[in-house]
Amino acid sequence: TAQYNNGATSIKCFGTSGNTGLVGWTLSSSSVSTRVYFRIPSAPGATSDIMQFRNTGNGGGLQLRTDRKLAVVNDASAAVFTAATACDVDTWYRLEIAMAKGTDTSTGVINFAYYLGDSTSAIETYSVSNANCGTDDWTGVRWGKLTGIAFSLDLYFDDFAASTGTTTLLGPML
């Protein structure tokens, strides 16, 4: 699209009412760290899953709420952290999240931070080592409008990155 963070294009994921729009990739690892630059032109009409680590269950990931606040969800799809600060529309943010499966449902790791563009100062962070991240390896990562609920949503993504075998956040694009 004509909207971009770096370079000349980005990916626009749009899901019309009742449908999804996503980009993703497959992998196999007990821990994964991913980063993306993210922009919204408007608030969603309902809370929407926008990022998901896939395993045999939900895996965990990120939601965008109707108040434009980001929420981290665990393997049971429960919100375990909700940002205090709403994302501004038409602004590029860098979202970073890493998760590691647990040996049981209370020993997983979640690290999350989001930033204004390439800033090195996080707007907010969340980090725990007693999370329910499931006990199975991750099999994929997905970004976009992942829930087929009754509203249309446009999301812009740029500069994707992922690394397996780590829960260290990746940092800004080089």
Side-chain angles (χ1 to χ4, degrees):
T1 71
Q3 302 296 329
Y4 56 87
N5 178 62
N6 287 302
T9 60
S10 67
I11 293 174
K12 177 182 179 183
C13 291
F14 58 94
T16 56
S17 184
N19 295 304
T20 61
L22 61 100
V23 62
W25 55 95
T26 59
L27 51 87
S28 180
S29 183
S30 62
S31 59
V32 180
S33 183
T34 185
R35 175 209 70 219
V36 73
Y37 289 78
F38 165 79
R39 178 183 177 273
I40 53 171
S42 63
T47 296
S48 181
D49 293 330
I50 63 166
M51 183 274 162
Q52 186 179 58
F53 286 116
R54 301 285 292 171
N55 61 16
T56 56
N58 172 52
L62 295 174
Q63 293 179 332
L64 180 63
R65 299 173 5 147
T66 57
D67 58 5
R68 299 184 327 271
K69 292 180 180 178
L70 297 165
V72 176
V73 296
N74 66 12
D75 188 56
S77 298
V80 294
F81 170 79
T82 301
T85 305
C87 293
D88 291 328
V89 297
D90 298 326
T91 302
W92 283 100
Y93 292 92
R94 187 174 81 250
L95 308 180
E96 300 204 31
I97 187 167
M99 289 189 175
K101 72 176 185 178
T103 55
D104 58 40
T105 57
S106 63
T107 56
V109 174
I110 300 174
N111 291 317
F112 167 72
Y114 74 106
Y115 306 79
L116 186 59
D118 286 327
S119 174
T120 56
S121 299
I123 297 169
E124 293 184 62
T125 64
Y126 174 74
S127 183
V128 295
S129 58
N130 62 347
N132 177 2
C133 294
T135 59
D136 295 318
D137 280 354
W138 308 116
T139 58
V141 175
R142 303 187 317 167
W143 290 94
K145 181 190 177 214
L146 305 178
T147 42
I149 48 186
F151 69 93
S152 295
L153 178 63
D154 293 342
L155 301 167
Y156 294 91
F157 297 103
D158 203 355
D159 303 319
F160 294 90
S163 183
T164 57
T166 184
T167 57
T168 301
L169 299 178
L170 300 177
M173 191 182 98
L174 299 176

